[in-house]
Amino acid sequence: MKIKEKNLQQIGEFGLINRIRKWITASDPALIQGIGDDVAVIEVGTKALLITTDILIEDIHFNKSWIDPFQLGKKALAVNLSDIASMGGAPKYFLISIGLPKNLPLSFFSSFYRGLKKEANQFRVELIGGDTSLAQKITINICLLGEGKKSDLLFRKGAKVGNDLFVSGTLGDAALGLKILQGKGKTKGAEGLIQKHLSPRPRVELGQAIAKHHLATAMIDVSDGLLIDTSHLLEESGVGARIWEDQIPLSGLYQKWIHSFSRDSFQFALSGGEDYELLFTAPSKMRKRIASFTHSLKIPITRIGEILPQKEGLHIIKKNGKDYSPSHLGFEHFK
Ligand code: ADP
Ligand code: MG
């Protein structure tokens, strides 16, 4: 009997990455972190070199009718900055490779570069190269380099049983903003949510502060959704967790608009993507210091759960005390 070969839809993006990780192992002694974290880390003298790359593809990650080229330029860099932020690193240089259809007006491109430059100036990073090619759809890939102090960096691994689980900002706004953009309904009053989707603000300063002050044991940025990114952190740390649903930080706008799109008030906050907030674990003795950080940086940081032994898996505790293990974690390519 012929066994049917598995396709990408069956194994999903993360199934594929796990296989790549087994096929190719890196062994250079200077490599601190290879596949399996938000960025790769290489030891260079007393410092650590951070390298990350992210791709944006037209009609997969963005649609030209919703996002203008200026916003697209900013966002292409922002999503990479967020990965450097999740390690507590300082972003420095980037290269950009672009695939473009030949009928694209030059003005699209000049606006895109203006957006890119604005974001680069804001975060003091410099464009040092790239590549350009013809493509069927706009394809943007940035490779961002950063640096950090080896002893300060935070990884997805490192969470310990008994640690608290914290998240910055509010969750679900960007995913709800996207839903509103995609819908045919009214958007008036929802501009703040739409803005969160179109112009995410990477938490670079916060990530560096958390790392420098050794507040956390592990950290990841929430790019694919709270549940899926929590599960990555848990997997790499070899632990489980409990999240209290009613502690998940929701913005006023989210609470106002969510009911037009879902009966579950937490749906987008749990499994919507593109928040680009920081999710981290910390020993309970850090609670006071983290609270004073929230105050001084003026960025909300909320304790949303606690780390459990690995056999417990990932649980959500609902407001009524009911406990469940989510079956659908969030967005995954190919699935
Ligand atoms: P993030 O969401 O933080 O950008 P990803 O989920 O995209 O992270 O990637 C997780 C890990 O898998 C990272 O270490 C990344 O470098 C690695 N990775 C992703 N795609 C590939 C690939 N095609 N080949 C090798 N490594 C990959
Ligand atoms: Mg990431």
Side-chain angles (χ1 to χ4, degrees):
M1 193 175 76
K2 201 172 167 212
I3 299 168
K4 212 168 162 244
E5 200 190 347
K6 276 193 178 158
N7 64 23
L8 294 185
Q9 190 173 13
Q10 287 160 309
I11 63 169
E13 175 191 358
F14 301 114
L16 178 63
I17 294 174
N18 280 336
R19 279 168 177 81
I20 295 172
R21 218 167 156 177
K22 287 187 192 123
W23 294 332
I24 296 169
T25 50
S27 59
D28 188 291
L31 185 68
I32 298 174
Q33 176 67 57
I35 299 176
D37 215 306
D38 294 287
V39 317
V41 183
I42 298 166
E43 186 174 359
V44 183
T46 56
K47 281 189 177 168
L49 170 67
L50 311 179
I51 312 167
T52 187
T53 185
D54 253 315
I55 195 163
L56 293 182
I57 299 174
E58 183 181 1
D59 297 336
I60 303 287
H61 298 94
F62 66 92
N63 187 303
K64 274 200 306 224
S65 61
W66 306 326
I67 192 164
D68 68 44
F70 182 84
Q71 291 165 328
L72 186 61
K74 282 185 85 224
K75 187 166 177 176
L77 188 53
V79 300
N80 283 279
L81 289 164
S82 178
D83 278 321
I84 298 278
S86 79
M87 308 300 285
K92 301 291 277 187
Y93 306 104
F94 70 103
L95 295 103
I96 183 162
S97 296
I98 33 186
L100 301 166
K102 60 176 128 191
N103 57 0
L104 198 72
L106 183 60
S107 60
F108 181 96
F109 213 51
S110 55
S111 289
F112 174 86
Y113 264 80
R114 268 193 284 116
L116 195 64
K117 194 168 158 190
K118 175 104 197 271
E119 192 79 359
N121 288 345
Q122 185 182 344
F123 290 93
R124 290 191 292 275
V125 297
E126 285 185 303
L127 176 61
I128 56 166
D131 196 15
T132 307
S133 165
L134 174 67
Q136 309 282 6
K137 302 230 171 186
I138 302 171
T139 308
I140 304 153
N141 173 243
I142 286 184
C143 174
L144 176 64
L145 308 181
E147 64 177 19
K149 199 169 144 196
K150 249 186 322 178
S151 55
D152 288 352
L153 292 181
L154 286 160
F155 298 83
R156 292 179 180 182
K157 60 184 174 234
K160 300 278 179 299
V161 175
N163 279 179
D164 293 328
L165 183 66
F166 290 92
V167 74
S168 64
T170 57
L171 296 176
D173 297 335
L176 189 53
L178 173 62
K179 195 81 188 168
I180 294 168
L181 272 176
Q182 285 170 329
K184 304 240 178 312
K186 63 176 177 116
T187 57
K188 199 165 162 39
E191 292 83 0
L193 297 170
I194 292 170
Q195 195 60 19
K196 283 273 187 91
H197 168 74
L198 297 176
S199 281
R201 209 190 137 76
R203 299 291 196 187
V204 176
E205 193 192 353
L206 177 64
Q208 284 177 3
I210 291 170
K212 186 173 154 212
H213 293 92
H214 297 201
L215 298 183
T217 49
M219 190 150 73
I220 186 170
D221 67 322
V222 184
S223 57
D224 295 329
L226 175 66
L227 291 183
I228 209 154
D229 287 314
T230 301
S231 78
H232 292 321
L233 186 145
L234 300 182
E235 208 171 297
E236 294 304 319
S237 294
V239 292
R242 166 186 296 136
I243 292 177
W244 307 294
E245 199 177 63
D246 63 340
Q247 296 303 308
I248 295 173
L250 305 176
S251 69
L253 267 182
Y254 177 98
Q255 293 178 66
K256 196 170 156 204
W257 283 80
I258 184 65
H259 305 294
S260 312
F261 293 91
S262 177
R263 274 166 45 196
D264 174 1
S265 326
F266 291 95
Q267 187 192 333
F268 289 80
L270 287 167
S271 34
E274 301 207 288
D275 295 308
Y276 299 105
E277 293 295 347
L278 295 179
L279 179 78
F280 63 97
T281 54
S284 53
K285 65 174 188 224
M286 290 296 176
R287 279 180 203 167
K288 261 202 175 140
R289 289 189 63 196
I290 291 168
S292 74
F293 251 74
T294 293
H295 196 70
S296 60
L297 287 176
K298 296 193 175 64
I299 298 170
I301 297 173
T302 313
R303 183 159 64 97
I304 58 165
E306 59 193 354
I307 300 299
L308 304 174
Q310 188 167 34
K311 63 175 176 10
E312 303 287 339
L314 174 57
H315 292 255
I316 311 290
I317 314 289
K318 293 189 81 73
K319 203 173 179 177
N320 60 13
K322 266 201 180 153
D323 176 320
Y324 73 98
S325 295
S327 51
H328 171 73
L329 295 177
F331 177 78
E332 183 172 355
H333 285 288
F334 312 124
K335 283 234 160 158

